PDB file of all heavy atoms in Angstrom:
ATOM      1  N   PRO A   1      26.946 298.682   1.809  1.00 95.00           N
ATOM      2  CA  PRO A   1      26.638 299.300   3.113  1.00 95.00           C
ATOM      3  C   PRO A   1      25.940 300.652   2.994  1.00 95.00           C
ATOM      4  O   PRO A   1      25.002 300.941   3.754  1.00 95.00           O
ATOM      5  CB  PRO A   1      28.016 299.429   3.777  1.00 95.00           C
ATOM      6  CG  PRO A   1      28.836 298.374   3.136  1.00 95.00           C
ATOM      7  CD  PRO A   1      28.369 298.299   1.715  1.00 95.00           C
ATOM      8  N   GLU A   2      26.374 301.484   2.056  1.00 94.00           N
ATOM      9  CA  GLU A   2      25.739 302.801   1.887  1.00 94.00           C
ATOM     10  C   GLU A   2      24.322 302.662   1.342  1.00 94.00           C
ATOM     11  O   GLU A   2      23.426 303.417   1.715  1.00 94.00           O
ATOM     12  CB  GLU A   2      26.583 303.668   0.953  1.00 94.00           C
ATOM     13  CG  GLU A   2      26.132 305.110   0.890  1.00 94.00           C
ATOM     14  CD  GLU A   2      27.067 305.994   0.092  1.00 94.00           C
ATOM     15  OE1 GLU A   2      28.145 305.504  -0.332  1.00 94.00           O
ATOM     16  OE2 GLU A   2      26.715 307.164  -0.135  1.00 94.00           O
ATOM     17  N   LEU A   3      24.103 301.696   0.473  1.00 95.00           N
ATOM     18  CA  LEU A   3      22.756 301.463  -0.047  1.00 95.00           C
ATOM     19  C   LEU A   3      21.819 300.954   1.043  1.00 95.00           C
ATOM     20  O   LEU A   3      20.641 301.315   1.081  1.00 95.00           O
ATOM     21  CB  LEU A   3      22.810 300.455  -1.201  1.00 95.00           C
ATOM     22  CG  LEU A   3      23.480 300.920  -2.498  1.00 95.00           C
ATOM     23  CD1 LEU A   3      23.673 299.749  -3.444  1.00 95.00           C
ATOM     24  CD2 LEU A   3      22.657 302.010  -3.168  1.00 95.00           C
ATOM     25  N   LEU A   4      22.343 300.128   1.942  1.00 95.00           N
ATOM     26  CA  LEU A   4      21.519 299.547   3.001  1.00 95.00           C
ATOM     27  C   LEU A   4      21.003 300.585   3.981  1.00 95.00           C
ATOM     28  O   LEU A   4      20.026 300.326   4.697  1.00 95.00           O
ATOM     29  CB  LEU A   4      22.310 298.471   3.747  1.00 95.00           C
ATOM     30  CG  LEU A   4      22.555 297.161   2.989  1.00 95.00           C
ATOM     31  CD1 LEU A   4      23.444 296.228   3.799  1.00 95.00           C
ATOM     32  CD2 LEU A   4      21.236 296.470   2.645  1.00 95.00           C
ATOM     33  N   THR A   5      21.619 301.747   4.032  1.00 95.00           N
ATOM     34  CA  THR A   5      21.121 302.800   4.927  1.00 95.00           C
ATOM     35  C   THR A   5      19.723 303.270   4.527  1.00 95.00           C
ATOM     36  O   THR A   5      18.987 303.810   5.356  1.00 95.00           O
ATOM     37  CB  THR A   5      22.085 304.011   4.934  1.00 95.00           C
ATOM     38  OG1 THR A   5      22.175 304.548   3.601  1.00 95.00           O
ATOM     39  CG2 THR A   5      23.465 303.612   5.423  1.00 95.00           C
ATOM     40  N   LYS A   6      19.362 303.076   3.256  1.00 95.00           N
ATOM     41  CA  LYS A   6      18.046 303.485   2.763  1.00 95.00           C
ATOM     42  C   LYS A   6      17.067 302.316   2.679  1.00 95.00           C
ATOM     43  O   LYS A   6      15.913 302.513   2.277  1.00 95.00           O
ATOM     44  CB  LYS A   6      18.176 304.136   1.379  1.00 95.00           C
ATOM     45  CG  LYS A   6      19.061 305.363   1.364  1.00 95.00           C
ATOM     46  CD  LYS A   6      18.529 306.462   2.289  1.00 95.00           C
ATOM     47  CE  LYS A   6      19.422 307.692   2.258  1.00 95.00           C
ATOM     48  NZ  LYS A   6      18.926 308.751   3.173  1.00 95.00           N
ATOM     49  N   LEU A   7      17.520 301.113   3.054  1.00 96.00           N
ATOM     50  CA  LEU A   7      16.628 299.948   3.008  1.00 96.00           C
ATOM     51  C   LEU A   7      15.422 300.106   3.939  1.00 96.00           C
ATOM     52  O   LEU A   7      14.308 299.711   3.567  1.00 96.00           O
ATOM     53  CB  LEU A   7      17.401 298.671   3.338  1.00 96.00           C
ATOM     54  CG  LEU A   7      16.603 297.364   3.283  1.00 96.00           C
ATOM     55  CD1 LEU A   7      16.015 297.148   1.889  1.00 96.00           C
ATOM     56  CD2 LEU A   7      17.484 296.180   3.677  1.00 96.00           C
ATOM     57  N   PRO A   8      15.574 300.661   5.157  1.00 96.00           N
ATOM     58  CA  PRO A   8      14.385 300.852   6.005  1.00 96.00           C
ATOM     59  C   PRO A   8      13.300 301.690   5.339  1.00 96.00           C
ATOM     60  O   PRO A   8      12.102 301.416   5.526  1.00 96.00           O
ATOM     61  CB  PRO A   8      14.953 301.563   7.243  1.00 96.00           C
ATOM     62  CG  PRO A   8      16.375 301.125   7.312  1.00 96.00           C
ATOM     63  CD  PRO A   8      16.808 301.010   5.879  1.00 96.00           C
ATOM     64  N   ILE A   9      13.682 302.689   4.556  1.00 95.00           N
ATOM     65  CA  ILE A   9      12.687 303.511   3.860  1.00 95.00           C
ATOM     66  C   ILE A   9      11.951 302.662   2.826  1.00 95.00           C
ATOM     67  O   ILE A   9      10.721 302.744   2.686  1.00 95.00           O
ATOM     68  CB  ILE A   9      13.362 304.726   3.188  1.00 95.00           C
ATOM     69  CG1 ILE A   9      13.991 305.630   4.239  1.00 95.00           C
ATOM     70  CG2 ILE A   9      12.356 305.501   2.333  1.00 95.00           C
ATOM     71  CD1 ILE A   9      14.768 306.802   3.677  1.00 95.00           C
ATOM     72  N   THR A  10      12.701 301.837   2.104  1.00 96.00           N
ATOM     73  CA  THR A  10      12.090 300.944   1.113  1.00 96.00           C
ATOM     74  C   THR A  10      11.100 299.989   1.774  1.00 96.00           C
ATOM     75  O   THR A  10       9.975 299.821   1.294  1.00 96.00           O
ATOM     76  CB  THR A  10      13.187 300.142   0.380  1.00 96.00           C
ATOM     77  OG1 THR A  10      13.982 301.028  -0.397  1.00 96.00           O
ATOM     78  CG2 THR A  10      12.573 299.100  -0.550  1.00 96.00           C
ATOM     79  N   LEU A  11      11.502 299.372   2.872  1.00 96.00           N
ATOM     80  CA  LEU A  11      10.632 298.409   3.557  1.00 96.00           C
ATOM     81  C   LEU A  11       9.426 299.094   4.184  1.00 96.00           C
ATOM     82  O   LEU A  11       8.310 298.557   4.142  1.00 96.00           O
ATOM     83  CB  LEU A  11      11.434 297.660   4.628  1.00 96.00           C
ATOM     84  CG  LEU A  11      12.561 296.758   4.112  1.00 96.00           C
ATOM     85  CD1 LEU A  11      13.313 296.130   5.272  1.00 96.00           C
ATOM     86  CD2 LEU A  11      12.020 295.676   3.189  1.00 96.00           C
ATOM     87  N   GLU A  12       9.633 300.272   4.766  1.00 96.00           N
ATOM     88  CA  GLU A  12       8.515 301.008   5.363  1.00 96.00           C
ATOM     89  C   GLU A  12       7.489 301.372   4.299  1.00 96.00           C
ATOM     90  O   GLU A  12       6.279 301.209   4.498  1.00 96.00           O
ATOM     91  CB  GLU A  12       9.034 302.270   6.053  1.00 96.00           C
ATOM     92  CG  GLU A  12       7.935 303.084   6.732  1.00 96.00           C
ATOM     93  CD  GLU A  12       8.456 304.367   7.348  1.00 96.00           C
ATOM     94  OE1 GLU A  12       9.679 304.625   7.258  1.00 96.00           O
ATOM     95  OE2 GLU A  12       7.641 305.123   7.908  1.00 96.00           O
ATOM     96  N   LEU A  13       7.962 301.850   3.168  1.00 96.00           N
ATOM     97  CA  LEU A  13       7.070 302.209   2.072  1.00 96.00           C
ATOM     98  C   LEU A  13       6.311 300.990   1.564  1.00 96.00           C
ATOM     99  O   LEU A  13       5.106 301.055   1.278  1.00 96.00           O
ATOM    100  CB  LEU A  13       7.874 302.856   0.943  1.00 96.00           C
ATOM    101  CG  LEU A  13       7.100 303.348  -0.283  1.00 96.00           C
ATOM    102  CD1 LEU A  13       6.043 304.357   0.119  1.00 96.00           C
ATOM    103  CD2 LEU A  13       8.058 303.956  -1.295  1.00 96.00           C
ATOM    104  N   ALA A  14       6.998 299.854   1.475  1.00 96.00           N
ATOM    105  CA  ALA A  14       6.363 298.624   0.992  1.00 96.00           C
ATOM    106  C   ALA A  14       5.300 298.128   1.964  1.00 96.00           C
ATOM    107  O   ALA A  14       4.196 297.741   1.554  1.00 96.00           O
ATOM    108  CB  ALA A  14       7.420 297.545   0.765  1.00 96.00           C
ATOM    109  N   VAL A  15       5.612 298.149   3.258  1.00 96.00           N
ATOM    110  CA  VAL A  15       4.668 297.644   4.271  1.00 96.00           C
ATOM    111  C   VAL A  15       3.417 298.522   4.329  1.00 96.00           C
ATOM    112  O   VAL A  15       2.284 298.017   4.336  1.00 96.00           O
ATOM    113  CB  VAL A  15       5.346 297.571   5.652  1.00 96.00           C
ATOM    114  CG1 VAL A  15       4.314 297.289   6.743  1.00 96.00           C
ATOM    115  CG2 VAL A  15       6.414 296.488   5.666  1.00 96.00           C
ATOM    116  N   VAL A  16       3.609 299.841   4.374  1.00 96.00           N
ATOM    117  CA  VAL A  16       2.465 300.757   4.442  1.00 96.00           C
ATOM    118  C   VAL A  16       1.608 300.641   3.188  1.00 96.00           C
ATOM    119  O   VAL A  16       0.364 300.595   3.267  1.00 96.00           O
ATOM    120  CB  VAL A  16       2.948 302.208   4.638  1.00 96.00           C
ATOM    121  CG1 VAL A  16       1.765 303.172   4.577  1.00 96.00           C
ATOM    122  CG2 VAL A  16       3.670 302.362   5.973  1.00 96.00           C
ATOM    123  N   SER A  17       2.241 300.564   2.030  1.00 96.00           N
ATOM    124  CA  SER A  17       1.491 300.426   0.770  1.00 96.00           C
ATOM    125  C   SER A  17       0.726 299.108   0.737  1.00 96.00           C
ATOM    126  O   SER A  17      -0.412 299.050   0.246  1.00 96.00           O
ATOM    127  CB  SER A  17       2.449 300.509  -0.419  1.00 96.00           C
ATOM    128  OG  SER A  17       3.141 301.739  -0.432  1.00 96.00           O
ATOM    129  N   MET A  18       1.337 298.052   1.267  1.00 96.00           N
ATOM    130  CA  MET A  18       0.672 296.749   1.317  1.00 96.00           C
ATOM    131  C   MET A  18      -0.574 296.808   2.205  1.00 96.00           C
ATOM    132  O   MET A  18      -1.629 296.274   1.850  1.00 96.00           O
ATOM    133  CB  MET A  18       1.647 295.692   1.844  1.00 96.00           C
ATOM    134  CG  MET A  18       1.095 294.286   1.892  1.00 96.00           C
ATOM    135  SD  MET A  18       0.980 293.579   0.236  1.00 96.00           S
ATOM    136  CE  MET A  18       0.460 291.897   0.613  1.00 96.00           C
ATOM    137  N   LEU A  19      -0.456 297.470   3.353  1.00 96.00           N
ATOM    138  CA  LEU A  19      -1.596 297.578   4.271  1.00 96.00           C
ATOM    139  C   LEU A  19      -2.728 298.388   3.638  1.00 96.00           C
ATOM    140  O   LEU A  19      -3.900 298.030   3.776  1.00 96.00           O
ATOM    141  CB  LEU A  19      -1.147 298.217   5.585  1.00 96.00           C
ATOM    142  CG  LEU A  19      -0.190 297.382   6.448  1.00 96.00           C
ATOM    143  CD1 LEU A  19       0.268 298.173   7.665  1.00 96.00           C
ATOM    144  CD2 LEU A  19      -0.840 296.072   6.874  1.00 96.00           C
ATOM    145  N   ILE A  20      -2.365 299.478   2.955  1.00 96.00           N
ATOM    146  CA  ILE A  20      -3.385 300.268   2.259  1.00 96.00           C
ATOM    147  C   ILE A  20      -4.056 299.422   1.178  1.00 96.00           C
ATOM    148  O   ILE A  20      -5.285 299.418   1.037  1.00 96.00           O
ATOM    149  CB  ILE A  20      -2.759 301.536   1.636  1.00 96.00           C
ATOM    150  CG1 ILE A  20      -2.297 302.493   2.733  1.00 96.00           C
ATOM    151  CG2 ILE A  20      -3.760 302.240   0.710  1.00 96.00           C
ATOM    152  CD1 ILE A  20      -1.513 303.684   2.212  1.00 96.00           C
ATOM    153  N   GLY A  21      -3.249 298.700   0.416  1.00 95.00           N
ATOM    154  CA  GLY A  21      -3.794 297.849  -0.637  1.00 95.00           C
ATOM    155  C   GLY A  21      -4.705 296.767  -0.098  1.00 95.00           C
ATOM    156  O   GLY A  21      -5.765 296.487  -0.669  1.00 95.00           O
ATOM    157  N   LEU A  22      -4.322 296.157   1.027  1.00 94.00           N
ATOM    158  CA  LEU A  22      -5.148 295.111   1.642  1.00 94.00           C
ATOM    159  C   LEU A  22      -6.476 295.671   2.133  1.00 94.00           C
ATOM    160  O   LEU A  22      -7.533 295.074   1.915  1.00 94.00           O
ATOM    161  CB  LEU A  22      -4.393 294.462   2.803  1.00 94.00           C
ATOM    162  CG  LEU A  22      -3.339 293.410   2.452  1.00 94.00           C
ATOM    163  CD1 LEU A  22      -2.549 293.018   3.683  1.00 94.00           C
ATOM    164  CD2 LEU A  22      -3.994 292.179   1.829  1.00 94.00           C
ATOM    165  N   GLY A  23      -6.406 296.820   2.814  1.00 94.00           N
ATOM    166  CA  GLY A  23      -7.635 297.414   3.343  1.00 94.00           C
ATOM    167  C   GLY A  23      -8.609 297.797   2.252  1.00 94.00           C
ATOM    168  O   GLY A  23      -9.795 297.410   2.285  1.00 94.00           O
ATOM    169  N   LEU A  24      -8.137 298.531   1.268  1.00 95.00           N
ATOM    170  CA  LEU A  24      -9.006 298.945   0.164  1.00 95.00           C
ATOM    171  C   LEU A  24      -9.436 297.744  -0.680  1.00 95.00           C
ATOM    172  O   LEU A  24     -10.580 297.679  -1.139  1.00 95.00           O
ATOM    173  CB  LEU A  24      -8.281 299.966  -0.714  1.00 95.00           C
ATOM    174  CG  LEU A  24      -7.996 301.332  -0.077  1.00 95.00           C
ATOM    175  CD1 LEU A  24      -7.180 302.195  -1.030  1.00 95.00           C
ATOM    176  CD2 LEU A  24      -9.287 302.030   0.311  1.00 95.00           C
ATOM    177  N   GLY A  25      -8.507 296.790  -0.874  1.00 94.00           N
ATOM    178  CA  GLY A  25      -8.839 295.605  -1.658  1.00 94.00           C
ATOM    179  C   GLY A  25      -9.931 294.775  -1.009  1.00 94.00           C
ATOM    180  O   GLY A  25     -10.820 294.253  -1.692  1.00 94.00           O
ATOM    181  N   LEU A  26      -9.878 294.665   0.328  1.00 91.00           N
ATOM    182  CA  LEU A  26     -10.916 293.913   1.049  1.00 91.00           C
ATOM    183  C   LEU A  26     -12.272 294.584   0.886  1.00 91.00           C
ATOM    184  O   LEU A  26     -13.282 293.908   0.631  1.00 91.00           O
ATOM    185  CB  LEU A  26     -10.543 293.812   2.532  1.00 91.00           C
ATOM    186  CG  LEU A  26     -11.563 293.118   3.443  1.00 91.00           C
ATOM    187  CD1 LEU A  26     -11.794 291.677   3.003  1.00 91.00           C
ATOM    188  CD2 LEU A  26     -11.095 293.155   4.896  1.00 91.00           C
ATOM    189  N   VAL A  27     -12.303 295.901   1.017  1.00 94.00           N
ATOM    190  CA  VAL A  27     -13.561 296.638   0.860  1.00 94.00           C
ATOM    191  C   VAL A  27     -14.113 296.445  -0.554  1.00 94.00           C
ATOM    192  O   VAL A  27     -15.311 296.152  -0.736  1.00 94.00           O
ATOM    193  CB  VAL A  27     -13.352 298.143   1.149  1.00 94.00           C
ATOM    194  CG1 VAL A  27     -14.606 298.932   0.793  1.00 94.00           C
ATOM    195  CG2 VAL A  27     -13.000 298.353   2.619  1.00 94.00           C
ATOM    196  N   MET A  28     -13.266 296.578  -1.560  1.00 95.00           N
ATOM    197  CA  MET A  28     -13.726 296.435  -2.946  1.00 95.00           C
ATOM    198  C   MET A  28     -14.166 294.999  -3.235  1.00 95.00           C
ATOM    199  O   MET A  28     -15.126 294.776  -3.980  1.00 95.00           O
ATOM    200  CB  MET A  28     -12.625 296.872  -3.913  1.00 95.00           C
ATOM    201  CG  MET A  28     -12.378 298.372  -3.904  1.00 95.00           C
ATOM    202  SD  MET A  28     -11.315 298.969  -5.262  1.00 95.00           S
ATOM    203  CE  MET A  28      -9.715 298.351  -4.720  1.00 95.00           C
ATOM    204  N   ALA A  29     -13.459 294.017  -2.647  1.00 93.00           N
ATOM    205  CA  ALA A  29     -13.837 292.619  -2.864  1.00 93.00           C
ATOM    206  C   ALA A  29     -15.217 292.331  -2.272  1.00 93.00           C
ATOM    207  O   ALA A  29     -16.047 291.651  -2.905  1.00 93.00           O
ATOM    208  CB  ALA A  29     -12.788 291.699  -2.230  1.00 93.00           C
ATOM    209  N   ILE A  30     -15.482 292.854  -1.075  1.00 89.00           N
ATOM    210  CA  ILE A  30     -16.786 292.642  -0.441  1.00 89.00           C
ATOM    211  C   ILE A  30     -17.893 293.330  -1.242  1.00 89.00           C
ATOM    212  O   ILE A  30     -18.981 292.770  -1.421  1.00 89.00           O
ATOM    213  CB  ILE A  30     -16.759 293.149   1.014  1.00 89.00           C
ATOM    214  CG1 ILE A  30     -15.823 292.263   1.851  1.00 89.00           C
ATOM    215  CG2 ILE A  30     -18.160 293.139   1.621  1.00 89.00           C
ATOM    216  CD1 ILE A  30     -15.605 292.761   3.259  1.00 89.00           C
ATOM    217  N   ILE A  31     -17.618 294.535  -1.745  1.00 93.00           N
ATOM    218  CA  ILE A  31     -18.609 295.247  -2.568  1.00 93.00           C
ATOM    219  C   ILE A  31     -18.957 294.431  -3.810  1.00 93.00           C
ATOM    220  O   ILE A  31     -20.137 294.301  -4.181  1.00 93.00           O
ATOM    221  CB  ILE A  31     -18.067 296.635  -2.974  1.00 93.00           C
ATOM    222  CG1 ILE A  31     -18.040 297.569  -1.767  1.00 93.00           C
ATOM    223  CG2 ILE A  31     -18.922 297.248  -4.085  1.00 93.00           C
ATOM    224  CD1 ILE A  31     -17.365 298.891  -2.021  1.00 93.00           C
ATOM    225  N   LYS A  32     -17.927 293.842  -4.448  1.00 92.00           N
ATOM    226  CA  LYS A  32     -18.184 293.045  -5.650  1.00 92.00           C
ATOM    227  C   LYS A  32     -18.945 291.766  -5.316  1.00 92.00           C
ATOM    228  O   LYS A  32     -19.819 291.339  -6.081  1.00 92.00           O
ATOM    229  CB  LYS A  32     -16.866 292.709  -6.344  1.00 92.00           C
ATOM    230  CG  LYS A  32     -16.176 293.906  -6.982  1.00 92.00           C
ATOM    231  CD  LYS A  32     -15.017 293.492  -7.870  1.00 92.00           C
ATOM    232  CE  LYS A  32     -15.496 292.764  -9.103  1.00 92.00           C
ATOM    233  NZ  LYS A  32     -14.422 292.504 -10.071  1.00 92.00           N
ATOM    234  N   MET A  33     -18.627 291.150  -4.181  1.00 88.00           N
ATOM    235  CA  MET A  33     -19.316 289.917  -3.797  1.00 88.00           C
ATOM    236  C   MET A  33     -20.767 290.185  -3.418  1.00 88.00           C
ATOM    237  O   MET A  33     -21.652 289.385  -3.712  1.00 88.00           O
ATOM    238  CB  MET A  33     -18.577 289.242  -2.641  1.00 88.00           C
ATOM    239  CG  MET A  33     -17.234 288.638  -3.028  1.00 88.00           C
ATOM    240  SD  MET A  33     -16.386 287.888  -1.627  1.00 88.00           S
ATOM    241  CE  MET A  33     -17.500 286.543  -1.225  1.00 88.00           C
ATOM    242  N   LYS A  34     -21.009 291.313  -2.758  1.00 87.00           N
ATOM    243  CA  LYS A  34     -22.370 291.668  -2.349  1.00 87.00           C
ATOM    244  C   LYS A  34     -23.199 292.224  -3.511  1.00 87.00           C
ATOM    245  O   LYS A  34     -24.427 292.342  -3.407  1.00 87.00           O
ATOM    246  CB  LYS A  34     -22.315 292.694  -1.216  1.00 87.00           C
ATOM    247  CG  LYS A  34     -21.852 292.127   0.114  1.00 87.00           C
ATOM    248  CD  LYS A  34     -22.852 291.130   0.648  1.00 87.00           C
ATOM    249  CE  LYS A  34     -22.470 290.609   2.010  1.00 87.00           C
ATOM    250  NZ  LYS A  34     -23.467 289.630   2.535  1.00 87.00           N
ATOM    251  N   LYS A  35     -22.495 292.590  -4.613  1.00 88.00           N
ATOM    252  CA  LYS A  35     -23.148 293.108  -5.823  1.00 88.00           C
ATOM    253  C   LYS A  35     -24.034 294.315  -5.524  1.00 88.00           C
ATOM    254  O   LYS A  35     -25.206 294.378  -5.935  1.00 88.00           O
ATOM    255  CB  LYS A  35     -23.960 292.008  -6.508  1.00 88.00           C
ATOM    256  CG  LYS A  35     -23.099 290.851  -6.995  1.00 88.00           C
ATOM    257  CD  LYS A  35     -23.911 289.771  -7.665  1.00 88.00           C
ATOM    258  CE  LYS A  35     -23.004 288.635  -8.137  1.00 88.00           C
ATOM    259  NZ  LYS A  35     -23.769 287.534  -8.770  1.00 88.00           N
ATOM    260  N   ILE A  36     -23.448 295.259  -4.776  1.00 85.00           N
ATOM    261  CA  ILE A  36     -24.144 296.518  -4.511  1.00 85.00           C
ATOM    262  C   ILE A  36     -24.129 297.332  -5.804  1.00 85.00           C
ATOM    263  O   ILE A  36     -23.064 297.665  -6.313  1.00 85.00           O
ATOM    264  CB  ILE A  36     -23.452 297.283  -3.362  1.00 85.00           C
ATOM    265  CG1 ILE A  36     -23.351 296.379  -2.123  1.00 85.00           C
ATOM    266  CG2 ILE A  36     -24.183 298.573  -3.039  1.00 85.00           C
ATOM    267  CD1 ILE A  36     -22.519 296.945  -1.005  1.00 85.00           C
ATOM    268  N   ARG A  37     -25.286 297.686  -6.312  1.00 84.00           N
ATOM    269  CA  ARG A  37     -25.440 298.127  -7.696  1.00 84.00           C
ATOM    270  C   ARG A  37     -24.480 299.252  -8.100  1.00 84.00           C
ATOM    271  O   ARG A  37     -23.585 299.048  -8.917  1.00 84.00           O
ATOM    272  CB  ARG A  37     -26.886 298.559  -7.941  1.00 84.00           C
ATOM    273  CG  ARG A  37     -27.189 298.884  -9.399  1.00 84.00           C
ATOM    274  CD  ARG A  37     -28.648 299.216  -9.583  1.00 84.00           C
ATOM    275  NE  ARG A  37     -29.495 298.090  -9.186  1.00 84.00           N
ATOM    276  CZ  ARG A  37     -30.826 298.161  -9.111  1.00 84.00           C
ATOM    277  NH1 ARG A  37     -31.439 299.297  -9.388  1.00 84.00           N
ATOM    278  NH2 ARG A  37     -31.517 297.098  -8.755  1.00 84.00           N
ATOM    279  N   VAL A  38     -24.626 300.422  -7.536  1.00 92.00           N
ATOM    280  CA  VAL A  38     -23.822 301.569  -7.952  1.00 92.00           C
ATOM    281  C   VAL A  38     -22.365 301.397  -7.534  1.00 92.00           C
ATOM    282  O   VAL A  38     -21.442 301.652  -8.317  1.00 92.00           O
ATOM    283  CB  VAL A  38     -24.397 302.879  -7.367  1.00 92.00           C
ATOM    284  CG1 VAL A  38     -23.526 304.075  -7.751  1.00 92.00           C
ATOM    285  CG2 VAL A  38     -25.834 303.089  -7.835  1.00 92.00           C
ATOM    286  N   LEU A  39     -22.155 300.952  -6.308  1.00 93.00           N
ATOM    287  CA  LEU A  39     -20.789 300.792  -5.794  1.00 93.00           C
ATOM    288  C   LEU A  39     -20.011 299.746  -6.584  1.00 93.00           C
ATOM    289  O   LEU A  39     -18.805 299.884  -6.783  1.00 93.00           O
ATOM    290  CB  LEU A  39     -20.825 300.417  -4.311  1.00 93.00           C
ATOM    291  CG  LEU A  39     -21.300 301.506  -3.351  1.00 93.00           C
ATOM    292  CD1 LEU A  39     -21.286 300.992  -1.917  1.00 93.00           C
ATOM    293  CD2 LEU A  39     -20.430 302.754  -3.467  1.00 93.00           C
ATOM    294  N   THR A  40     -20.690 298.700  -7.035  1.00 93.00           N
ATOM    295  CA  THR A  40     -20.017 297.661  -7.826  1.00 93.00           C
ATOM    296  C   THR A  40     -19.508 298.223  -9.148  1.00 93.00           C
ATOM    297  O   THR A  40     -18.388 297.916  -9.579  1.00 93.00           O
ATOM    298  CB  THR A  40     -20.971 296.476  -8.090  1.00 93.00           C
ATOM    299  OG1 THR A  40     -21.378 295.920  -6.843  1.00 93.00           O
ATOM    300  CG2 THR A  40     -20.279 295.393  -8.905  1.00 93.00           C
ATOM    301  N   GLN A  41     -20.306 299.045  -9.785  1.00 94.00           N
ATOM    302  CA  GLN A  41     -19.884 299.651 -11.052  1.00 94.00           C
ATOM    303  C   GLN A  41     -18.694 300.586 -10.856  1.00 94.00           C
ATOM    304  O   GLN A  41     -17.741 300.583 -11.639  1.00 94.00           O
ATOM    305  CB  GLN A  41     -21.060 300.413 -11.673  1.00 94.00           C
ATOM    306  CG  GLN A  41     -22.212 299.501 -12.107  1.00 94.00           C
ATOM    307  CD  GLN A  41     -23.418 300.290 -12.577  1.00 94.00           C
ATOM    308  OE1 GLN A  41     -23.482 301.503 -12.412  1.00 94.00           O
ATOM    309  NE2 GLN A  41     -24.387 299.594 -13.164  1.00 94.00           N
ATOM    310  N   ILE A  42     -18.743 301.379  -9.786  1.00 94.00           N
ATOM    311  CA  ILE A  42     -17.621 302.277  -9.474  1.00 94.00           C
ATOM    312  C   ILE A  42     -16.369 301.466  -9.159  1.00 94.00           C
ATOM    313  O   ILE A  42     -15.262 301.789  -9.606  1.00 94.00           O
ATOM    314  CB  ILE A  42     -17.983 303.202  -8.293  1.00 94.00           C
ATOM    315  CG1 ILE A  42     -19.133 304.129  -8.687  1.00 94.00           C
ATOM    316  CG2 ILE A  42     -16.765 304.011  -7.858  1.00 94.00           C
ATOM    317  CD1 ILE A  42     -19.684 304.948  -7.539  1.00 94.00           C
ATOM    318  N   THR A  43     -16.543 300.387  -8.388  1.00 95.00           N
ATOM    319  CA  THR A  43     -15.409 299.531  -8.016  1.00 95.00           C
ATOM    320  C   THR A  43     -14.790 298.876  -9.238  1.00 95.00           C
ATOM    321  O   THR A  43     -13.561 298.829  -9.368  1.00 95.00           O
ATOM    322  CB  THR A  43     -15.869 298.450  -7.011  1.00 95.00           C
ATOM    323  OG1 THR A  43     -16.370 299.088  -5.836  1.00 95.00           O
ATOM    324  CG2 THR A  43     -14.714 297.542  -6.630  1.00 95.00           C
ATOM    325  N   ASN A  44     -15.625 298.366 -10.137  1.00 94.00           N
ATOM    326  CA  ASN A  44     -15.105 297.736 -11.360  1.00 94.00           C
ATOM    327  C   ASN A  44     -14.313 298.732 -12.201  1.00 94.00           C
ATOM    328  O   ASN A  44     -13.254 298.402 -12.750  1.00 94.00           O
ATOM    329  CB  ASN A  44     -16.251 297.157 -12.182  1.00 94.00           C
ATOM    330  CG  ASN A  44     -16.849 295.908 -11.560  1.00 94.00           C
ATOM    331  OD1 ASN A  44     -16.162 295.196 -10.818  1.00 94.00           O
ATOM    332  ND2 ASN A  44     -18.106 295.631 -11.846  1.00 94.00           N
ATOM    333  N   LEU A  45     -14.815 299.953 -12.291  1.00 95.00           N
ATOM    334  CA  LEU A  45     -14.114 300.991 -13.049  1.00 95.00           C
ATOM    335  C   LEU A  45     -12.780 301.332 -12.399  1.00 95.00           C
ATOM    336  O   LEU A  45     -11.756 301.457 -13.083  1.00 95.00           O
ATOM    337  CB  LEU A  45     -14.991 302.246 -13.147  1.00 95.00           C
ATOM    338  CG  LEU A  45     -14.360 303.457 -13.858  1.00 95.00           C
ATOM    339  CD1 LEU A  45     -14.056 303.119 -15.319  1.00 95.00           C
ATOM    340  CD2 LEU A  45     -15.290 304.668 -13.766  1.00 95.00           C
ATOM    341  N   LEU A  46     -12.768 301.449 -11.063  1.00 95.00           N
ATOM    342  CA  LEU A  46     -11.541 301.785 -10.339  1.00 95.00           C
ATOM    343  C   LEU A  46     -10.501 300.677 -10.471  1.00 95.00           C
ATOM    344  O   LEU A  46      -9.318 300.950 -10.721  1.00 95.00           O
ATOM    345  CB  LEU A  46     -11.861 302.028  -8.861  1.00 95.00           C
ATOM    346  CG  LEU A  46     -10.707 302.466  -7.968  1.00 95.00           C
ATOM    347  CD1 LEU A  46     -10.099 303.767  -8.465  1.00 95.00           C
ATOM    348  CD2 LEU A  46     -11.165 302.609  -6.527  1.00 95.00           C
TER     349      LEU A  46
END
């Protein structure tokens, strides 16, 4: 029960991080598919 009091923080952190990952991942995936020269190299390195 005492551990569960902090579960909302864990879930909130996971959901927000997932949304950030999805947004940035979608942008990087489109850059790689479009093969934009400079941006593709930066994306691959990142």
